Amino acid sequence: MKRTQKILAPSILSADFLNLGRDVTIALEAGAQYIHFDVMDGTFVPQISFGTPVIKALRPLTDAVIDVHLMVEDPSRHVEEYARQGADIITVHAETCTHLDRVIGQIKACGKKASVALNPATSLHVLDYVLDELDMVLIMTVNPGFGGQKYIPYCDGKIRALRKMIDERGLDTDIQVDGGISASNAKRLSECGVDVFVCGSAVFEGDIAKNVKDIMEQF
């Protein structure tokens, strides 16, 4: 069933790291509900971002949902530490998990919500046997590793197909999108069935509070 309330999850990858706590607080006070952490290892994706010290620093500032997206090889090595530092949702890539079911179980054993991310060209069929175990599926709408990319148009159909899969099974699994999301396409994506919207530069470039409100008005 579709979530009735849509969620905005600003990605701190685009925030001002000199004033990270300030920027996150402004976004949350303006109405954002999650904080999205893009963790990149320089191997699965070209860039290196940040690790658990950033979550440890921000966790005491808010009780908002911390949504950790592990764009890393062999994410099972990191799940328990991110859980310990305060992650509420942990997302791993299907492309990096030899034993995807095992990693989903590991996340749940830590008492956290489990999510699986799929790159744009990865088939939804990798979820056939694990979808019932998931709290969220992240559809990457750009190829991961860099901020500021343009949304890939064929992802609309992929989102609609995933929504149909979820609804046909009678699940409450959320659909999250990440990549090229802004006020200009949020309404269309909401109509496709998206529940959680990750926005980086669309939130943190310019007037953060206004950007949050402009995006959320489209849901």
Side-chain angles (χ1 to χ4, degrees):
M1 124 186 354
K2 288 184 184 179
R3 175 191 285 275
T4 55
Q5 180 190 23
K6 305 292 184 173
I7 299 292
L8 177 61
S11 170
I12 65 167
L13 193 63
S14 297
D16 175 3
F17 270 68
L18 187 62
N19 298 285
L20 184 56
R22 179 203 66 189
D23 281 10
V24 167
T25 299
I26 292 171
L28 291 172
E29 289 180 349
Q33 301 98 318
Y34 289 5
I35 310 169
H36 188 82
F37 287 72
D38 284 308
V39 179
M40 302 188 288
D41 66 356
T43 301
F44 176 59
V45 293
Q47 297 291 315
I48 296 173
S49 58
F50 46 74
T52 52
V54 177
I55 295 179
K56 185 178 181 180
L58 285 179
R59 179 74 281 180
L61 296 181
T62 178
D63 59 0
V65 171
I66 288 184
D67 166 29
V68 174
H69 177 195
L70 295 178
M71 290 181 274
V72 303
E73 294 287 351
D74 192 11
S76 63
R77 297 174 299 156
H78 306 287
V79 164
E80 292 176 8
E81 181 62 14
Y82 279 95
R84 191 174 71 84
Q85 295 297 345
D88 298 295
I89 304 170
I90 298 177
T91 299
V92 297
H93 271 262
E95 299 88 358
T96 66
C97 296
T98 303
H99 303 288
L100 182 57
D101 181 78
R102 181 183 297 165
V103 180
I104 293 167
Q106 182 186 17
I107 296 169
K108 288 184 167 290
C110 293
K112 306 302 179 179
K113 291 186 175 181
S115 170
V116 169
L118 304 179
N119 283 343
T122 299
S123 172
L124 294 175
H125 287 300
V126 301
L127 302 175
D128 283 349
Y129 297 103
V130 298
L131 184 58
D132 292 30
E133 302 301 318
L134 297 177
D135 299 287
M136 187 170 75
V137 176
L138 167 53
I139 299 293
M140 291 301 302
T141 46
V142 300
N143 290 294
F146 297 96
Q149 297 183 67
K150 291 184 178 180
Y151 179 91
I152 297 174
Y154 66 68
C155 292
D156 281 21
K158 188 174 184 180
I159 294 162
R160 287 193 293 266
L162 176 58
R163 172 52 59 196
K164 182 179 179 182
M165 287 174 61
I166 291 169
D167 289 348
E168 286 178 346
R169 297 192 191 193
L171 303 174
D172 293 326
T173 311
D174 282 340
I175 297 176
Q176 184 180 67
V177 289
D178 184 357
I181 312 300
S182 67
S184 67
N185 57 15
K187 185 177 190 303
R188 186 186 80 243
L189 294 174
S190 179
E191 292 169 350
C192 287
V194 173
D195 304 293
V196 185
F197 299 75
V198 177
C199 297
S201 56
V203 166
F204 289 113
E205 288 186 1
D207 186 329
I208 296 171
K210 182 179 184 301
N211 292 340
V212 167
K213 292 173 183 176
D214 287 348
I215 295 166
M216 294 188 70
E217 283 177 357
Q218 303 303 313
F219 297 165

